[in-house]
Coordinates of all heavy atoms in Angstrom, one line a residue:
M14 N -24.7 70.7 29.5 CA -24.8 70.0 28.2 C -25.1 71.0 27.1 O -25.7 72.0 27.4 CB -26.0 69.0 28.3 CG -25.7 67.9 29.3 SD -26.6 66.4 28.7 CE -25.7 65.2 29.7
E15 N -24.8 70.6 25.9 CA -25.0 71.5 24.8 C -26.4 71.6 24.4 O -27.2 70.6 24.4 CB -24.2 70.9 23.6 CG -24.3 71.7 22.4 CD -23.6 71.1 21.2 OE1 -23.0 70.1 21.3 OE2 -23.7 71.7 20.1
S16 N -26.9 72.8 24.1 CA -28.2 73.0 23.6 C -28.2 73.6 22.3 O -27.5 74.7 22.1 CB -29.0 73.9 24.6 OG -30.3 74.1 24.2
R17 N -28.8 73.0 21.3 CA -28.9 73.6 20.0 C -30.3 73.8 19.6 O -31.1 72.9 19.4 CB -28.2 72.6 18.9 CG -26.8 72.4 19.2 CD -26.2 71.4 18.3 NE -26.5 70.1 18.9 CZ -26.4 68.9 18.3 NH1 -26.2 68.9 17.0 NH2 -26.6 67.8 18.9
E18 N -30.8 75.1 19.7 CA -32.2 75.4 19.5 C -32.4 76.2 18.3 O -31.5 76.9 17.8 CB -32.7 76.2 20.7 CG -32.6 75.4 22.0 CD -33.2 76.3 23.1 OE1 -34.0 77.1 22.9 OE2 -32.7 76.1 24.3
S19 N -33.6 76.1 17.8 CA -34.0 77.0 16.7 C -34.8 78.2 17.3 O -35.2 78.1 18.5 CB -34.9 76.2 15.7 OG -36.1 75.9 16.3
P20 N -35.1 79.2 16.5 CA -36.0 80.2 17.0 C -37.4 79.6 17.3 O -37.7 78.5 16.9 CB -36.1 81.2 15.8 CG -34.9 80.9 14.9 CD -34.6 79.4 15.2
E21 N -38.2 80.4 18.0 CA -39.5 80.0 18.4 C -40.4 79.4 17.3 O -41.0 78.4 17.4 CB -40.3 81.2 19.1 CG -41.5 80.8 19.8 CD -41.3 80.1 21.1 OE1 -40.2 80.2 21.7 OE2 -42.2 79.4 21.6
K22 N -40.3 80.1 16.1 CA -41.1 79.6 15.0 C -40.0 79.0 14.0 O -39.3 79.8 13.3 CB -41.8 80.8 14.3 CG -43.1 81.1 15.0 CD -44.1 80.1 14.7 CE -45.5 80.7 15.1 NZ -46.5 79.7 14.8
S23 N -40.0 77.7 13.9 CA -39.0 77.1 13.0 C -39.5 77.0 11.6 O -40.6 76.6 11.4 CB -38.7 75.7 13.6 OG -37.9 75.0 12.6
P24 N -38.6 77.4 10.6 CA -39.1 77.2 9.3 C -39.0 75.8 8.8 O -39.5 75.5 7.7 CB -38.1 78.1 8.5 CG -36.9 78.1 9.3 CD -37.3 78.0 10.8
L25 N -38.4 74.9 9.6 CA -38.2 73.5 9.1 C -39.2 72.6 9.9 O -39.6 72.9 11.0 CB -36.8 73.0 9.5 CG -35.7 73.7 8.7 CD1 -34.3 73.2 9.2 CD2 -35.8 73.4 7.2
L26 N -39.6 71.6 9.2 CA -40.4 70.5 9.8 C -39.5 69.4 10.2 O -38.4 69.2 9.6 CB -41.4 70.0 8.8 CG -42.5 71.0 8.4 CD1 -43.5 70.3 7.4 CD2 -43.3 71.5 9.6
L27 N -39.9 68.6 11.2 CA -39.1 67.5 11.6 C -38.8 66.6 10.4 O -37.6 66.1 10.3 CB -39.8 66.7 12.7 CG -39.1 65.5 13.3 CD1 -37.8 66.0 14.0 CD2 -40.0 64.9 14.3
V28 N -39.7 66.4 9.5 CA -39.5 65.5 8.4 C -38.4 66.1 7.5 O -37.7 65.3 6.8 CB -40.8 65.2 7.6 CG1 -41.3 66.5 6.9 CG2 -40.7 64.1 6.7
D29 N -38.2 67.4 7.4 CA -37.1 68.0 6.6 C -35.7 67.6 7.2 O -34.8 67.5 6.4 CB -37.2 69.5 6.6 CG -38.5 70.1 6.0 OD1 -39.0 69.4 5.1 OD2 -38.9 71.1 6.5
V30 N -35.6 67.5 8.5 CA -34.3 67.3 9.1 C -34.1 65.8 9.4 O -32.9 65.4 9.3 CB -34.3 68.1 10.5 CG1 -33.0 67.9 11.2 CG2 -34.5 69.6 10.2
C31 N -35.1 65.1 9.7 CA -35.0 63.7 10.1 C -36.0 62.8 9.4 O -36.9 62.2 10.0 CB -35.2 63.5 11.6 SG -34.4 64.7 12.7
P32 N -36.0 62.7 8.1 CA -37.0 62.0 7.4 C -37.1 60.5 7.8 O -38.2 59.9 7.9 CB -36.7 62.1 5.9 CG -35.2 62.5 5.9 CD -35.0 63.3 7.2
G33 N -35.9 59.9 8.0 CA -35.9 58.4 8.4 C -36.6 58.2 9.7 O -37.3 57.3 10.0
L34 N -36.2 59.1 10.7 CA -36.7 59.1 12.0 C -38.3 59.2 12.0 O -39.0 58.4 12.6 CB -36.1 60.2 12.9 CG -36.6 60.3 14.3 CD1 -36.0 59.3 15.2 CD2 -36.4 61.7 14.8
V35 N -38.8 60.2 11.2 CA -40.2 60.4 11.1 C -40.9 59.2 10.6 O -41.9 58.7 11.1 CB -40.5 61.6 10.3 CG1 -42.0 61.7 9.9 CG2 -40.0 62.9 11.0
G36 N -40.4 58.6 9.6 CA -41.0 57.4 9.0 C -41.0 56.2 10.0 O -42.0 55.5 10.1
E37 N -39.9 56.0 10.7 CA -39.8 54.9 11.6 C -40.8 55.1 12.8 O -41.5 54.2 13.2 CB -38.4 54.7 12.2 CG -37.5 54.1 11.2 CD -36.1 54.0 11.9 OE1 -36.0 53.2 12.8 OE2 -35.2 54.7 11.4
V38 N -40.8 56.3 13.3 CA -41.7 56.6 14.5 C -43.2 56.5 14.0 O -44.0 55.8 14.8 CB -41.4 58.0 15.0 CG1 -42.5 58.5 16.0 CG2 -40.1 58.1 15.7
A39 N -43.5 57.0 12.9 CA -44.9 56.9 12.4 C -45.3 55.4 12.2 O -46.4 55.0 12.6 CB -45.1 57.7 11.1
A40 N -44.4 54.6 11.6 CA -44.7 53.2 11.4 C -44.9 52.5 12.7 O -45.8 51.7 12.9 CB -43.6 52.6 10.5
L41 N -44.0 52.7 13.7 CA -44.1 52.0 15.0 C -45.3 52.5 15.7 O -46.0 51.6 16.4 CB -42.8 52.3 15.8 CG -41.6 51.6 15.3 CD1 -40.3 52.1 16.1 CD2 -41.7 50.0 15.4
L42 N -45.7 53.7 15.6 CA -46.9 54.2 16.3 C -48.1 53.5 15.7 O -49.0 53.1 16.4 CB -47.1 55.7 16.1 CG -46.3 56.6 17.2 CD1 -46.3 58.0 16.7 CD2 -47.0 56.4 18.5
R43 N -48.2 53.4 14.3 CA -49.3 52.8 13.7 C -49.5 51.3 14.1 O -50.6 50.8 14.2 CB -49.2 53.0 12.2 CG -49.5 54.4 11.7 CD -49.6 54.5 10.2 NE -49.8 55.9 9.8 CZ -48.8 56.7 9.4 NH1 -47.6 56.2 9.2 NH2 -49.0 57.9 9.1
D44 N -48.3 50.7 14.2 CA -48.3 49.2 14.6 C -48.8 49.1 16.0 O -49.5 48.1 16.4 CB -47.0 48.6 14.4 CG -46.6 48.4 12.9 OD1 -47.5 48.5 12.1 OD2 -45.4 48.1 12.7
S45 N -48.2 49.9 16.9 CA -48.5 49.7 18.4 C -49.7 50.4 18.9 O -50.3 50.0 19.9 CB -47.3 50.2 19.2 OG -47.1 51.5 19.1
R46 N -50.2 51.4 18.2 CA -51.4 52.2 18.6 C -52.3 52.5 17.4 O -52.5 53.6 17.0 CB -50.9 53.5 19.3 CG -50.0 53.3 20.5 CD -49.3 54.5 20.9 NE -50.2 55.5 21.3 CZ -50.4 55.8 22.6 NH1 -49.8 55.1 23.6 NH2 -51.2 56.8 23.0
P47 N -52.9 51.4 16.9 CA -53.7 51.6 15.7 C -54.8 52.6 15.9 O -55.4 52.7 17.0 CB -54.4 50.2 15.4 CG -53.4 49.3 16.2 CD -52.9 50.0 17.3
G48 N -55.0 53.5 15.0 CA -56.0 54.6 15.0 C -55.6 55.8 15.8 O -56.3 56.8 15.9
D49 N -54.4 55.8 16.5 CA -54.0 56.9 17.2 C -53.6 58.1 16.3 O -52.7 57.9 15.4 CB -52.8 56.6 18.1 CG -52.4 57.7 19.1 OD1 -52.6 58.8 18.8 OD2 -51.9 57.3 20.2
P50 N -54.2 59.2 16.4 CA -53.9 60.3 15.4 C -52.5 60.9 15.5 O -52.1 61.6 14.6 CB -55.0 61.4 15.7 CG -55.4 61.1 17.1 CD -55.3 59.6 17.3
I51 N -51.8 60.6 16.6 CA -50.5 61.1 16.7 C -49.6 60.6 15.6 O -48.7 61.3 15.1 CB -49.8 60.7 18.1 CG1 -50.5 61.5 19.2 CG2 -48.4 60.9 18.1 CD1 -50.1 61.1 20.6
A52 N -49.8 59.4 15.1 CA -49.0 58.8 14.0 C -49.1 59.7 12.8 O -48.1 59.9 12.1 CB -49.4 57.4 13.7
D53 N -50.3 60.2 12.5 CA -50.5 61.0 11.3 C -49.9 62.4 11.5 O -49.7 63.1 10.5 CB -52.0 61.0 11.0 CG -52.5 59.7 10.6 OD1 -51.7 58.9 10.0 OD2 -53.7 59.4 10.8
S54 N -49.7 62.8 12.7 CA -49.2 64.2 12.9 C -47.7 64.3 12.9 O -47.2 65.4 12.8 CB -49.8 64.7 14.3 OG -49.1 64.1 15.4
I55 N -47.0 63.2 13.0 CA -45.5 63.3 13.1 C -44.9 64.0 12.0 O -44.0 64.8 12.2 CB -45.0 61.8 13.2 CG1 -45.4 61.1 14.5 CG2 -43.4 61.8 13.1 CD1 -44.9 61.7 15.8
S56 N -45.3 63.8 10.8 CA -44.6 64.5 9.6 C -44.8 66.0 9.6 O -44.1 66.7 9.0 CB -45.0 63.8 8.3 OG -46.4 64.0 8.1
G57 N -45.9 66.4 10.3 CA -46.2 67.9 10.3 C -45.6 68.6 11.4 O -45.8 69.8 11.6
L58 N -44.8 67.9 12.3 CA -44.3 68.6 13.5 C -43.1 69.5 13.1 O -42.3 69.2 12.3 CB -43.8 67.6 14.5 CG -44.8 66.7 15.2 CD1 -44.2 65.6 16.0 CD2 -45.8 67.6 16.0
P59 N -43.0 70.7 13.8 CA -41.9 71.6 13.5 C -40.6 71.0 14.2 O -40.7 70.2 15.1 CB -42.3 72.9 14.2 CG -43.3 72.5 15.2 CD -44.0 71.2 14.7
F60 N -39.5 71.4 13.7 CA -38.2 71.1 14.3 C -37.7 72.2 15.1 O -37.5 73.3 14.6 CB -37.2 70.7 13.2 CG -35.8 70.5 13.7 CD1 -35.5 69.3 14.3 CD2 -34.8 71.4 13.5 CE1 -34.2 69.0 14.8 CE2 -33.5 71.2 14.0 CZ -33.2 70.0 14.6
H61 N -37.5 72.0 16.4 CA -37.1 73.1 17.3 C -35.7 72.9 17.8 O -35.3 73.5 18.7 CB -38.1 73.2 18.5 CG -39.3 74.0 18.1 ND1 -39.3 75.4 18.2 CD2 -40.5 73.6 17.6 CE1 -40.5 75.8 17.9 NE2 -41.2 74.8 17.5
G62 N -35.0 71.9 17.2 CA -33.6 71.8 17.6 C -33.3 70.5 18.4 O -34.2 69.6 18.5
I63 N -32.1 70.4 18.9 CA -31.6 69.3 19.7 C -31.2 69.9 21.0 O -30.5 70.8 21.1 CB -30.4 68.6 19.0 CG1 -30.7 68.2 17.6 CG2 -30.0 67.4 19.9 CD1 -31.7 67.2 17.4
C64 N -31.7 69.2 22.1 CA -31.3 69.6 23.4 C -31.1 68.4 24.2 O -32.0 67.6 24.4 CB -32.4 70.5 24.0 SG -32.0 71.1 25.7
R65 N -29.9 68.2 24.8 CA -29.5 67.1 25.6 C -29.9 65.8 24.9 O -30.4 64.8 25.4 CB -30.2 67.1 27.0 CG -29.7 68.3 27.8 CD -30.3 68.4 29.2 NE -31.8 68.6 29.2 CZ -32.3 69.9 29.1 NH1 -31.5 70.9 29.0 NH2 -33.6 70.0 29.1
N66 N -29.6 65.7 23.6 CA -29.8 64.6 22.7 C -31.3 64.2 22.4 O -31.6 63.2 21.9 CB -29.1 63.3 23.2 CG -27.6 63.5 23.0 OD1 -27.1 64.1 22.1 ND2 -26.8 63.0 24.0
Y67 N -32.2 65.1 22.8 CA -33.6 64.9 22.5 C -33.9 65.8 21.2 O -33.4 66.9 21.1 CB -34.5 65.5 23.6 CG -34.5 64.6 24.8 CD1 -33.5 64.6 25.8 CD2 -35.6 63.7 25.0 CE1 -33.6 63.8 26.9 CE2 -35.6 62.9 26.1 CZ -34.6 63.0 27.1 OH -34.7 62.2 28.2
V68 N -34.6 65.3 20.3 CA -35.1 66.0 19.2 C -36.4 66.7 19.6 O -37.3 66.1 20.0 CB -35.4 65.1 18.0 CG1 -35.9 65.9 16.8 CG2 -34.1 64.3 17.6
L69 N -36.3 68.1 19.6 CA -37.4 68.9 20.1 C -38.4 69.2 18.9 O -38.0 69.7 17.9 CB -36.9 70.2 20.7 CG -36.0 70.0 21.9 CD1 -35.5 71.4 22.4 CD2 -36.7 69.3 23.0
T70 N -39.7 69.1 19.2 CA -40.7 69.4 18.2 C -41.6 70.6 18.8 O -42.5 71.0 18.1 CB -41.6 68.2 17.9 OG1 -42.2 67.8 19.1 CG2 -40.8 67.1 17.3
T71 N -41.2 71.0 20.0 CA -41.8 72.2 20.6 C -40.7 72.9 21.3 O -39.6 72.4 21.5 CB -42.9 71.8 21.6 OG1 -42.3 71.0 22.6 CG2 -44.1 71.1 21.0
P72 N -40.9 74.2 21.7 CA -39.9 74.9 22.5 C -39.4 74.1 23.7 O -40.3 73.5 24.4 CB -40.5 76.2 22.8 CG -41.6 76.4 21.8 CD -42.1 75.0 21.5
E73 N -38.2 74.2 24.0 CA -37.6 73.6 25.2 C -38.4 74.0 26.4 O -38.8 75.2 26.6 CB -36.2 74.0 25.4 CG -35.5 73.2 26.6 CD -34.0 73.5 26.7 OE1 -33.5 74.4 25.9 OE2 -33.4 73.0 27.6
G74 N -38.8 73.0 27.3 CA -39.5 73.3 28.5 C -41.0 73.1 28.4 O -41.7 73.3 29.4
T75 N -41.5 72.8 27.2 CA -42.9 72.5 27.0 C -43.3 71.3 27.9 O -42.6 70.3 27.9 CB -43.2 72.2 25.5 OG1 -42.9 73.4 24.8 CG2 -44.7 71.9 25.3
P76 N -44.4 71.4 28.7 CA -44.8 70.3 29.5 C -45.0 69.0 28.7 O -45.6 69.1 27.6 CB -46.1 70.8 30.1 CG -46.1 72.3 30.0 CD -45.3 72.6 28.8
S77 N -44.5 67.9 29.2 CA -44.7 66.6 28.5 C -44.9 65.6 29.6 O -44.0 64.7 29.9 CB -43.4 66.3 27.8 OG -43.1 67.3 26.8
P78 N -46.1 65.6 30.2 CA -46.3 64.6 31.3 C -46.5 63.2 30.9 O -46.5 62.3 31.7 CB -47.6 65.2 32.0 CG -48.3 65.9 30.9 CD -47.2 66.5 30.0
W79 N -46.7 63.0 29.6 CA -46.9 61.6 29.1 C -45.8 61.2 28.3 O -45.2 61.9 27.5 CB -48.2 61.5 28.3 CG -49.4 62.1 29.0 CD1 -50.0 63.3 28.9 CD2 -50.1 61.4 30.0 NE1 -51.0 63.4 29.7 CE2 -51.2 62.3 30.5 CE3 -50.1 60.2 30.6 CZ2 -52.1 62.0 31.4 CZ3 -51.0 59.8 31.6 CH2 -52.0 60.7 32.0
V80 N -45.4 59.9 28.4 CA -44.3 59.3 27.6 C -44.9 58.1 26.9 O -45.5 57.2 27.5 CB -43.1 59.0 28.4 CG1 -42.0 58.3 27.6 CG2 -42.5 60.3 29.0
I81 N -44.6 58.0 25.6 CA -44.9 56.8 24.8 C -43.6 56.1 24.5 O -42.7 56.7 23.9 CB -45.7 57.1 23.5 CG1 -47.0 57.8 23.8 CG2 -45.9 55.9 22.6 CD1 -47.7 58.4 22.5
A82 N -43.5 54.8 24.8 CA -42.4 54.0 24.5 C -42.7 53.2 23.2 O -43.8 52.5 23.2 CB -42.0 53.0 25.6
L83 N -41.8 53.2 22.2 CA -42.0 52.5 21.0 C -41.0 51.4 20.9 O -39.8 51.7 21.1 CB -41.9 53.4 19.8 CG -43.0 54.5 19.7 CD1 -42.8 55.4 18.5 CD2 -44.4 53.9 19.6
E84 N -41.4 50.2 20.6 CA -40.5 49.0 20.6 C -40.4 48.4 19.2 O -41.3 48.5 18.4 CB -41.0 48.0 21.6 CG -41.0 48.4 23.0 CD -41.4 47.3 24.0 OE1 -42.0 46.3 23.5 OE2 -41.2 47.5 25.2
R85 N -39.2 47.9 19.0 CA -39.0 47.1 17.8 C -38.3 45.8 18.3 O -37.3 45.8 19.0 CB -38.0 47.8 16.8 CG -37.8 47.0 15.6 CD -36.8 47.7 14.6 NE -37.0 49.1 14.4 CZ -36.0 50.0 14.8 NH1 -34.9 49.7 15.3 NH2 -36.3 51.3 14.6
E86 N -38.9 44.6 18.0 CA -38.4 43.3 18.4 C -38.2 43.3 19.9 O -37.1 42.9 20.4 CB -37.2 43.0 17.6 CG -37.5 42.8 16.1 CD -36.2 42.6 15.3 OE1 -35.1 42.4 15.9 OE2 -36.3 42.6 14.1
A87 N -39.1 43.7 20.7 CA -39.1 43.7 22.2 C -38.0 44.6 22.8 O -37.7 44.5 24.0 CB -39.0 42.3 22.7
E88 N -37.5 45.6 22.0 CA -36.5 46.5 22.5 C -37.1 47.9 22.3 O -37.5 48.3 21.2 CB -35.2 46.4 21.8 CG -34.1 47.3 22.3 CD -32.8 47.2 21.6 OE1 -32.6 46.2 20.9 OE2 -32.0 48.1 21.6
T89 N -37.0 48.8 23.4 CA -37.5 50.1 23.3 C -36.5 50.9 22.4 O -35.3 51.0 22.8 CB -37.7 50.8 24.7 OG1 -38.6 50.0 25.4 CG2 -38.2 52.2 24.5
V90 N -36.9 51.5 21.3 CA -36.0 52.2 20.4 C -36.3 53.7 20.4 O -35.4 54.5 20.0 CB -36.1 51.7 19.0 CG1 -35.4 50.3 18.9 CG2 -37.5 51.6 18.4
F91 N -37.5 54.2 20.8 CA -37.9 55.6 20.9 C -38.7 55.8 22.1 O -39.6 55.0 22.5 CB -38.7 56.0 19.7 CG -38.0 55.9 18.3 CD1 -38.5 54.9 17.4 CD2 -37.0 56.7 18.0 CE1 -37.8 54.8 16.2 CE2 -36.3 56.5 16.7 CZ -36.8 55.6 15.9
L92 N -38.5 57.0 22.7 CA -39.5 57.5 23.7 C -40.0 58.8 23.2 O -39.2 59.6 22.6 CB -38.8 57.7 25.1 CG -38.2 56.5 25.8 CD1 -37.5 56.9 27.0 CD2 -39.4 55.6 26.1
L93 N -41.3 59.0 23.3 CA -41.9 60.2 22.8 C -42.5 61.0 24.0 O -43.3 60.4 24.7 CB -43.0 59.9 21.8 CG -42.7 59.0 20.6 CD1 -43.9 58.8 19.8 CD2 -41.6 59.6 19.8
G94 N -42.1 62.2 24.1 CA -42.8 63.1 25.1 C -44.1 63.6 24.5 O -44.1 64.0 23.3
V95 N -45.2 63.6 25.3 CA -46.5 64.0 24.7 C -47.1 65.1 25.7 O -46.9 65.0 26.9 CB -47.4 62.8 24.6 CG1 -48.8 63.2 24.1 CG2 -46.8 61.7 23.8
D96 N -47.7 66.1 25.1 CA -48.2 67.2 25.8 C -49.4 66.8 26.7 O -49.9 65.7 26.6 CB -48.5 68.4 24.9 CG -49.8 68.2 24.1 OD1 -50.3 67.1 24.0 OD2 -50.4 69.2 23.6
P97 N -49.9 67.7 27.6 CA -51.0 67.4 28.4 C -52.3 66.9 27.7 O -53.1 66.2 28.3 CB -51.2 68.6 29.3 CG -49.9 69.3 29.3 CD -49.3 69.0 27.9
S98 N -52.5 67.4 26.5 CA -53.7 67.0 25.7 C -53.6 65.6 25.2 O -54.5 65.0 24.7 CB -53.9 68.0 24.6 OG -53.0 67.8 23.5
Q99 N -52.4 65.0 25.3 CA -52.1 63.7 24.8 C -52.2 63.6 23.3 O -52.6 62.6 22.7 CB -52.9 62.6 25.4 CG -52.6 62.5 26.9 CD -53.3 61.3 27.6 OE1 -53.6 60.3 26.9 NE2 -53.5 61.4 28.9
S100 N -52.0 64.8 22.6 CA -52.2 64.8 21.1 C -51.0 65.3 20.4 O -51.0 65.3 19.1 CB -53.4 65.6 20.8 OG -53.3 66.9 21.2
V101 N -50.0 65.9 21.1 CA -48.8 66.5 20.4 C -47.5 65.9 21.0 O -47.3 66.0 22.2 CB -48.8 68.0 20.6 CG1 -47.6 68.7 19.9 CG2 -50.1 68.6 20.0
V102 N -46.7 65.4 20.1 CA -45.4 64.9 20.5 C -44.5 66.2 20.7 O -44.4 67.0 19.8 CB -44.8 64.0 19.4 CG1 -43.3 63.6 19.8 CG2 -45.6 62.7 19.3
T103 N -43.9 66.3 21.8 CA -43.1 67.5 22.2 C -41.6 67.2 22.0 O -40.8 68.1 21.8 CB -43.3 68.0 23.6 OG1 -43.0 66.9 24.5 CG2 -44.8 68.4 23.7
W104 N -41.2 65.9 22.1 CA -39.7 65.6 21.9 C -39.7 64.1 21.6 O -40.6 63.3 21.9 CB -38.9 65.9 23.2 CG -39.4 65.4 24.5 CD1 -40.1 66.1 25.4 CD2 -39.3 64.0 25.0 NE1 -40.4 65.3 26.5 CE2 -39.9 64.0 26.3 CE3 -38.7 62.9 24.6 CZ2 -40.0 62.9 27.1 CZ3 -38.8 61.7 25.4 CH2 -39.4 61.8 26.6
V105 N -38.6 63.7 21.0 CA -38.3 62.3 20.6 C -36.9 62.0 21.2 O -35.9 62.7 20.9 CB -38.3 62.1 19.1 CG1 -37.9 60.6 18.8 CG2 -39.6 62.5 18.5
D106 N -36.8 60.9 21.9 CA -35.5 60.4 22.4 C -35.2 59.1 21.7 O -36.0 58.2 21.7 CB -35.6 60.1 23.9 CG -34.3 59.7 24.6 OD1 -33.2 59.9 23.9 OD2 -34.3 59.4 25.8
V107 N -34.1 59.1 21.0 CA -33.7 58.0 20.1 C -32.8 57.1 21.0 O -31.7 57.5 21.4 CB -33.0 58.5 18.9 CG1 -32.6 57.3 18.0 CG2 -33.9 59.5 18.1
L108 N -33.2 55.9 21.2 CA -32.5 54.9 22.1 C -31.8 53.8 21.3 O -31.2 53.0 22.0 CB -33.5 54.3 23.1 CG -34.3 55.3 23.9 CD1 -35.3 54.6 24.8 CD2 -33.4 56.1 24.8
D109 N -31.8 53.8 20.0 CA -31.3 52.7 19.3 C -29.8 52.9 18.9 O -29.3 52.2 18.0 CB -32.1 52.4 18.0 CG -32.1 53.4 17.0 OD1 -31.5 54.5 17.2 OD2 -32.8 53.2 15.9
G110 N -29.2 53.9 19.5 CA -27.7 54.1 19.2 C -27.3 55.0 18.2 O -26.2 55.4 18.1
R111 N -28.3 55.5 17.4 CA -27.9 56.5 16.3 C -27.7 57.8 17.0 O -28.3 58.1 18.0 CB -28.9 56.5 15.2 CG -30.2 57.2 15.6 CD -31.2 57.3 14.5 NE -32.0 56.1 14.6 CZ -33.0 55.8 13.8 NH1 -33.3 56.5 12.8 NH2 -33.8 54.8 14.0
D112 N -26.9 58.7 16.3 CA -26.7 60.0 16.8 C -27.9 60.9 16.4 O -28.5 60.7 15.3 CB -25.5 60.6 16.2 CG -24.2 60.0 16.8 OD1 -24.2 59.6 17.9 OD2 -23.2 59.9 16.0
P113 N -28.2 61.9 17.2 CA -29.2 62.8 16.8 C -28.7 63.6 15.6 O -27.5 63.6 15.3 CB -29.4 63.8 18.0 CG -28.2 63.6 18.8 CD -27.6 62.3 18.5
P114 N -29.6 64.2 14.8 CA -29.2 65.0 13.7 C -28.3 66.1 14.1 O -28.4 66.6 15.2 CB -30.5 65.5 13.0 CG -31.5 65.5 14.1 CD -31.1 64.4 15.0
P115 N -27.4 66.6 13.2 CA -26.5 67.7 13.6 C -27.3 69.0 13.7 O -28.4 69.1 13.2 CB -25.5 67.8 12.4 CG -26.3 67.2 11.3 CD -27.2 66.1 11.9
A116 N -26.7 70.0 14.3 CA -27.3 71.3 14.4 C -27.6 71.8 12.9 O -26.8 71.6 12.0 CB -26.4 72.3 15.1
V117 N -28.8 72.3 12.8 CA -29.2 72.8 11.4 C -29.2 74.3 11.5 O -29.9 74.9 12.3 CB -30.6 72.3 11.1 CG1 -31.1 72.8 9.8 CG2 -30.6 70.7 11.1
P118 N -28.5 75.0 10.6 CA -28.6 76.5 10.6 C -30.0 76.9 10.1 O -30.5 76.4 9.1 CB -27.5 76.9 9.5 CG -27.3 75.7 8.7 CD -27.6 74.5 9.5
L119 N -30.6 77.8 10.9 CA -31.9 78.2 10.6 C -31.9 79.7 10.3 O -31.1 80.5 10.7 CB -32.8 78.0 11.8 CG -33.0 76.5 12.2 CD1 -33.8 76.4 13.5 CD2 -33.7 75.7 11.1

């Protein structure tokens, strides 16, 4: 499968590349997990590229033992990989049919 990655230190934030996605994920997190600080951290996550249709916010291969499912109208629309500390989103899987953002020249 195609892998489109950025360098280890990305100059872009996820919100620069996917502002709509960031807004939706943050809103759904706030609704489903009130008070969870992950919702407030979404806009500050770096963009590390697209790999196998996942939007990466950490380098590929970062451990993500926890998964958060976000639903809209009883349908799962996003899956979020979360690091072992359960405080950092490492990837976003978009399940609502939209395409991931295109490769971004860095």
